[in-house]
Amino acid sequence: MNSVSRGVAAILAAGFACFASPLSAQTGDVKVGMITTLSGPGSGLGIDVRDGFALALKDLGGTLGGLKATVIEGDDQQKPDIAKQIADRMVERDDVDVVTGIIWSNLALALMPSLERAEVFFLSPNAGPSQLAGKQCNPFFFGVAYQNDGQHEAMGQHMQSQGIKRAYLMAPNYPAGKDALTGVKRFFKGEVVGEVYTAVGQLDYAAELAQLRAAAPDGVYIFYPGGMGINFVKQFEQAGLKGKIPLFGPGFSFSEDSLPAIGDAALGVMNTAQWSGDIDNPQNRKFVQGFEAAYNRLPSVYAAQAYDTALLLDSAVRKVGGNLADKDALRAALKAADFQSIRGDFKFNANHFPIQDYYLREVVKDDEGRLTNLIRGTVFEDHADPYAAECRM
């Protein structure tokens, strides 16, 4: 049994029963549609989101705002059409109150029109496409994690401060990949000697690494979450490039869900994120300790974002006294974000995306020899995304 299976078994053995079939739902429940990636190369991200949300519900006693929480789960398989089918079924048959779990921005964009028509709130624990932050901002969408550009903007700023003159940028060819490199370029002012968009799900980078070597940049920036990042970083080292060309990335390319599979090839890589396991506040310490105890692995930024998503929803349901039918009141309660985030201070901008700090982290080994991240500095304080000015919500 792998660590994920052991963790799920541990939660079930503890009697955590809020993950239930729709038939078990009772009047007065808060019904949550958990649509996330549970199979394929991106499954590690979705599993961490699911498990982080589940841990928060366990810590809340299986309730949200005092109401019993029923979670209905669906595997989107990283496919927009599958995600939309699951969402439509959850809305029409299961009568969910909120949807969460989505990892990928193209899936989030596919779901949003039908969720808005149904007046079902979408609390994103990860995907934060620029479209939904700007001109397509939506009263039923809350990006609890970040706007996509944020981690990349922070690393662009760090690369600029480190005197990198010639940079090579790489990302998958989908909305979050485009946002990623846009974010880097917003703050990195040196020469971009290569801007490469690869296929989503690509796992072999031999040709791209040959091109990268020929470009001889001062630094390489990658945005490759899940299996894409695992393979790229390992192949980067195998190609003899580690130690010759500095490698930079966002936190979700060097997150604890991927580091065990990447191995020592990730050691020393600097990355940027709005959360880290060593943020020193009581709520974060409780989360990190609880996650490791429940699942026998270190939490990732994905798990952290999902944990905060559940805490946000709990605060909003409590604030409206469990009256989920009052959409305006529930929206205002969500916007208030009256909860103790594991990130510390948390507030939403007018476009329903966070204003938050971004940290510089380094991949290290802890006292037990496990790969993890430690904060080495703060790049941005109270950073807001650049698209909020376009939002007319």
Side-chain angles (χ1 to χ4, degrees), residues 133-369:
K135 294 179 180 179
Q136 296 178 40
C137 63
N138 194 291
F140 287 94
F141 180 89
F142 284 83
V144 188
Y146 46 70
Q147 193 280 315
N148 282 348
D149 299 28
Q151 291 190 10
H152 314 288
E153 290 174 331
M155 185 50 77
Q157 175 63 39
H158 174 69
M159 291 168 65
Q160 182 70 20
S161 72
Q162 293 302 296
I164 301 295
K165 302 297 185 184
R166 304 173 70 254
Y168 200 91
L169 313 179
M170 300 182 67
N173 190 13
Y174 78 118
K178 299 294 181 64
D179 286 347
L181 301 194
T182 297
V184 174
K185 292 184 292 182
R186 187 170 289 120
F187 287 85
F188 174 71
K189 302 304 180 183
E191 180 185 1
V192 175
V193 297
E195 183 172 343
V196 178
Y197 292 96
T198 53
V200 176
Q202 181 172 324
L203 299 177
D204 183 354
Y205 296 95
E208 287 80 7
L209 287 167
Q211 294 167 2
L212 190 164
R213 185 194 299 275
D218 298 330
V220 181
Y221 183 85
I222 64 161
F223 163 54
Y224 285 125
M228 292 181 285
I230 291 168
N231 280 34
F232 181 90
V233 178
K234 292 171 73 172
Q235 291 168 29
F236 184 84
E237 181 183 51
Q238 291 162 4
L241 296 174
K242 184 179 180 181
K244 294 182 178 179
I245 304 175
L247 181 62
F248 304 97
F252 28 63
S253 291
F254 297 93
S255 191
E256 281 75 4
D257 61 294
S258 297
L259 289 177
I262 296 174
D264 289 356
L267 274 174
V269 174
M270 308 303 292
N271 61 92
T272 41
Q274 79 286 359
W275 173 85
S276 187
D278 58 333
I279 291 177
D280 191 15
N281 66 57
Q283 191 81 332
N284 194 47
R285 289 195 296 271
K286 175 183 177 182
F287 161 67
V288 172
Q289 293 166 6
F291 192 93
E292 186 176 355
Y295 303 110
N296 195 32
R297 67 184 192 274
L298 294 173
S300 69
V301 66
Y302 300 100
Q305 293 161 179
Y307 191 90
D308 262 357
T309 299
L311 297 185
L312 168 67
L313 182 55
D314 173 70
S315 71
V317 174
R318 192 175 307 279
K319 191 177 280 285
V320 299
N323 182 10
L324 301 180
D326 189 340
K327 305 292 185 179
D328 291 339
L330 184 57
R331 182 181 302 107
L334 289 166
K335 178 71 181 297
D338 187 14
F339 73 103
Q340 294 297 313
S341 167
I342 61 178
R343 284 168 259 183
D345 293 338
F346 185 101
K347 58 185 175 183
F348 281 117
N349 206 338
N351 62 350
H352 295 175
F353 280 82
I355 298 173
Q356 59 191 341
D357 297 345
Y358 284 88
Y359 304 99
L360 179 69
R361 313 188 308 174
E362 181 182 1
V363 178
V364 300
K365 284 188 176 179
D366 67 10
D367 293 340
E368 298 180 32

Side-chain angles (χ1 to χ4, degrees), residues 34-40 73-78 82-83 86:
M34 172 62 69
I35 308 173
T36 197
T37 306
L38 300 173
S39 59
E73 186 178 296
D75 177 9
D76 60 40
Q77 303 173 44
Q78 204 174 327
I82 298 294
I86 295 171

Side-chain angles (χ1 to χ4, degrees), residues 19 22 24 47 55 93 104-105 107 113 145 150 152 179 217 279 297 303 319 347:
F19 281 89
S24 70
I47 288 168
L55 178 63
R93 186 191 71 185
W104 310 94
S105 289
L107 275 63
H152 314 288
D179 286 347
I279 291 177
R297 67 184 192 274
K319 191 177 280 285
K347 58 185 175 183

